[in-house]
Amino acid sequence: MRKKIAVILCMVLGATTFFGCSAAEIGYLSMNKEISTLASCEFSGATEIYYDADAIKGFLTQVEGSEAFLTDAQEELDKFTGQKTIQVNFEGRQQLLEKDLRYEINLKAKLDGREWDLGRLYMDSTKGIYVERDMLIKLYLMSKELLPEYKDSYFYSAAYEKDLRNALGTSEYVEVVNAEGTMGYLTGGIYGDSVYASEELLNMVFNSLENIFKGYTSGAVSSVQGGYSLSLSGEQLIPMTSSCLDYISSNLDSVVDGFYKLMMDVEKWSGEESETWKQPMSKEERTELASQLSATKGQLDYLYKSGQLDLIKPLKLTETVKKSGNTYTTEKNLSMTYQGKSLFYIKSQGSLMKKDVNISIPAVGTPVVEISQRLDQLEASYNPVVAAKISWVKSRGSAAEYGDDYDEYWDDYNYCDIYYTRALRSPLSSEEEYDWLEYKNINKELYVPLRAIGEALGQEIGWDNGSQTAYGVQAGKRIDLNGVLDADTVYVKVREFEKLGYQVQYDGSNPEIHVVNIKKI
């Protein structure tokens, strides 16, 4: 029951932050829906980002509740200094086919007065995201201006730059996101809404929300010539959210029933119907939801009045969207000003014109898996891991011990936590990095994945298929290791790393976890 109520509560809060049903709000959402469902178009625009690091730090020292953050982040904040302005210009095309969404985008940037022609980027929902190889090199060179604290590190040495160019291969294009990860990028769209969504689905959602919140208005949207304008400050955000919670509480039955119907319609549309939404929310569940809404509103009101949300008060968001013929224009501005000083702003403007286009995606590009492996090898060469700390739980207890609090999930959970320590910090890695890997418990002894940990330590690891033996290479000499092969992964006792010249120490002082430290000698 609690899980269902939590889902409903999150949906309600997420869907209503900027939603209302005045004529302007309906028009604003409808125009954004039109943009979202365009099949083919050309677009262009620019985004400018500015920040004043010293003004931001000064603001944080004045805001109640930021003391802990300032203490924890002191080292990072000391490196965050000065003012910076970055401008990115883009122009491109979008093509939506039956089962494929494509983008072609040309990017240019301006940083501290210097202009960079970054090149072309392609996105394809079925193939991935590709960029020109030279774009990655130019972004690397640009990063010198953004990360001055690393200007004297190996990361910007001539030798590293040469090796980086080699690691990126010789293909004109590089795959930076594969097909599996592409849709998360594409569904955000250039203008913040999903351009890959079905028009039928969008109509279903918008019509339902309009019906559910037909008596509510946020007051944040107004009509302007040719379109609509949204204006919202941090000062307004909490009272507006509180007002929305009041509306939901006063119309709880219609809001809940409306969301249940919407979810059933969405599942039916997707062909994946479940029983979750078919059973109406019970009276007890509605009572608990009402209680949670009241508690949430009370907490928000208290935090707002006590000054604990002053951090967001200087924020201001404005957006204008207009239409003229087949062309849409947008302007957005997110800014923060405090005591007359501009802390930061993000300004963007763009235009989008409905037009038939045809986009051809590069047929060949160096795979992201290869690039990632080469970059990991490069980082290991210049900034190796010097130690690894492996920890795992001593005992998770049993159902008899924990009763109703026992979670059967832990019965099959055989993963260890690993903390790697590098010699240095770099833009690609911190001095301490975390990973978690499956382990084997054989005769009450820990067996860990050899290749994953060995290669993280900069160790060359090999496999002799003939003798079915794993080995490491030390000073050019092969050293065989005893291990267990399971599903193409070799697991070894941690002590096996001693054969490769590592110091292995067990620490059993913690009553709840085992700890093993591996260090290079």
Side-chain angles (χ1 to χ4, degrees):
M1 181 175 75
R2 287 181 176 274
K3 186 174 182 180
K4 186 183 290 187
I5 290 176
V7 170
I8 287 288
L9 190 58
C10 290
M11 287 172 51
V12 168
L13 289 174
T16 59
T17 302
F18 297 109
F19 192 86
C21 288
S22 68
E25 289 163 329
I26 295 298
Y28 167 78
L29 291 175
S30 296
M31 191 169 288
N32 276 283
K33 183 183 69 174
E34 289 179 27
I35 294 175
S36 300
T37 54
L38 285 176
S40 294
C41 64
E42 291 183 344
F43 57 84
S44 62
T47 297
E48 182 174 293
I49 302 171
Y50 163 84
Y51 67 80
D52 184 333
D54 297 320
I56 292 173
K57 289 189 288 188
F59 165 70
L60 290 173
T61 61
Q62 302 297 316
V63 176
E64 183 177 349
S66 63
E67 296 84 359
F69 169 77
L70 290 170
T71 300
D72 295 341
Q74 189 61 54
E75 184 178 346
E76 294 300 316
L77 289 172
D78 288 343
K79 301 173 186 176
F80 184 50
T81 59
Q83 301 175 348
K84 192 72 69 176
T85 303
I86 308 165
Q87 182 174 316
V88 178
N89 298 297
F90 59 87
E91 59 180 19
R93 304 181 297 162
Q94 169 196 307
Q95 182 183 21
L96 179 59
L97 304 175
E98 183 178 356
K99 295 183 179 180
D100 188 8
L101 174 62
R102 297 177 179 178
Y103 283 114
E104 177 186 8
I105 307 173
N106 289 302
L107 295 170
K108 294 182 179 180
K110 188 174 182 180
L111 175 62
D112 293 339
R114 181 178 177 182
E115 296 185 355
W116 300 79
D117 188 351
L118 297 177
R120 188 176 289 109
L121 174 152
Y122 289 96
M123 302 184 191
D124 186 306
S125 60
T126 62
K127 295 182 180 178
I129 300 179
Y130 294 84
V131 301
E132 291 180 338
R133 173 187 176 275
D134 287 349
M135 179 187 290
L136 297 180
I137 297 297
K138 291 173 182 176
L139 289 173
Y140 162 74
L141 296 174
M142 273 184 63
S143 70
K144 290 183 181 181
E145 306 301 322
L146 295 170
L147 303 169
E149 66 268 28
Y150 294 107
K151 65 180 181 179
D152 296 324
S153 77
Y154 72 88
F155 190 74
Y156 292 120
S157 67
Y160 186 91
E161 181 180 333
K162 179 181 177 181
D163 288 339
L164 176 63
R165 290 175 181 271
N166 291 333
L168 293 177
T170 57
S171 176
E172 183 181 2
Y173 291 94
V174 173
E175 178 194 65
V176 292
V177 180
N178 58 27
E180 288 76 13
T182 305
M183 285 311 300
Y185 289 82
L186 294 182
T187 53
I190 294 296
Y191 293 90
D193 296 292
S194 171
V195 293
Y196 196 64
S198 159
E199 185 171 3
E200 180 185 357
L201 176 60
L202 285 175
N203 284 330
M204 183 190 305
V205 173
F206 284 157
N207 290 340
S208 294
L209 291 176
E210 183 179 353
N211 183 59
I212 292 169
F213 293 99
K214 58 187 176 184
Y216 170 74
T217 177
S218 68
V221 180
S222 60
S223 298
V224 296
Q225 185 174 359
Y228 305 92
S229 177
L230 180 148
S231 180
L232 182 67
S233 69
E235 185 79 31
Q236 298 169 304
L237 181 59
I238 300 305
M240 190 181 77
T241 304
S242 181
S243 173
C244 179
L245 291 172
D246 275 337
Y247 174 84
I248 296 170
S249 296
S250 300
N251 301 273
L252 188 63
D253 288 338
S254 62
V255 171
V256 168
D257 293 342
F259 267 109
Y260 265 58
K261 183 179 184 304
L262 172 59
M263 292 308 300
M264 285 191 290
D265 290 343
V266 170
E267 288 189 341
K268 185 177 180 179
W269 174 86
S270 68
E272 298 181 2
E273 295 183 72
S274 68
E275 298 299 318
T276 304
W277 310 105
K278 292 182 179 180
Q279 295 297 322
M281 183 180 279
S282 68
K283 182 177 179 180
E284 292 76 15
E285 290 175 323
R286 292 172 192 250
T287 299
E288 184 170 348
L289 176 57
S291 176
Q292 290 191 16
L293 287 168
S294 177
T296 300
K297 181 183 182 304
Q299 184 70 7
L300 279 175
D301 291 344
Y302 168 75
L303 293 173
Y304 179 74
K305 292 176 182 177
S306 64
Q308 296 183 54
L309 295 177
D310 286 354
L311 184 67
I312 68 171
K313 286 185 178 181
L315 280 170
K316 185 172 180 61
L317 171 68
T318 60
E319 177 184 358
T320 301
V321 56
K322 297 180 180 181
K323 179 182 179 181
S324 177
N326 288 331
T327 301
Y328 300 85
T329 58
T330 64
E331 291 185 10
K332 296 182 181 180
N333 185 8
L334 176 64
S335 62
M336 179 178 275
T337 302
Y338 182 70
Q339 294 183 346
K341 286 187 176 181
S342 176
L343 307 187
F344 78 86
Y345 64 72
I346 303 173
K347 298 178 180 179
S348 65
Q349 58 81 25
S351 65
L352 183 150
M353 182 174 66
K354 185 177 181 180
K355 185 177 181 179
D356 290 336
V357 300
N358 184 34
I359 300 174
S360 298
I361 304 298
V364 178
T366 307
V368 64
V369 174
E370 287 187 24
I371 296 297
S372 297
Q373 290 174 344
R374 294 173 190 174
L375 291 178
D376 287 344
Q377 292 169 359
L378 191 59
E379 185 72 358
S381 173
Y382 281 86
N383 187 23
V385 170
V386 295
K389 183 174 77 172
I390 305 172
S391 64
W392 69 105
V393 178
K394 286 184 176 180
S395 174
R396 300 192 183 95
S398 64
E401 292 177 87
Y402 288 98
D404 292 340
D405 293 328
Y406 183 73
D407 191 342
E408 294 180 356
Y409 166 78
W410 293 107
D411 289 344
D412 299 318
Y413 186 88
N414 292 307
Y415 288 86
C416 55
D417 297 316
I418 306 179
Y419 297 88
Y420 296 111
T421 301
R422 291 189 181 273
L424 301 167
R425 183 177 182 180
S426 83
L428 293 183
S429 60
S430 58
E431 290 181 52
E432 186 173 84
E433 298 176 344
Y434 170 78
D435 195 5
W436 53 281
L437 295 169
E438 186 175 4
Y439 70 88
K440 300 293 181 185
N441 188 333
I442 303 176
N443 296 324
K444 296 185 178 181
E445 289 189 281
L446 174 70
Y447 282 69
V448 296
L450 170 63
R451 185 175 297 278
I453 296 177
E455 291 184 348
L457 289 164
Q459 181 67 52
E460 181 180 347
I461 301 295
W463 171 256
D464 187 328
N465 200 46
S467 63
Q468 295 285 287
T469 303
Y471 62 88
V473 178
Q474 195 75 356
K477 180 182 178 182
R478 167 175 161 168
I479 301 174
D480 289 347
L481 302 170
N482 297 318
V484 175
L485 179 63
D486 182 30
D488 296 326
T489 298
V490 175
Y491 295 84
V492 299
K493 296 179 183 179
V494 182
R495 291 290 179 187
E496 289 294 293
F497 285 96
E498 292 179 334
K499 296 180 180 178
L500 300 173
Y502 294 89
Q503 181 185 71
V504 178
Q505 291 183 324
Y506 174 75
D507 180 358
S509 60
N510 191 307
E512 297 181 353
I513 61 172
H514 299 281
V515 176
V516 171
N517 293 294
I518 304 174
K519 294 183 180 180
K520 288 187 176 181
I521 299 177

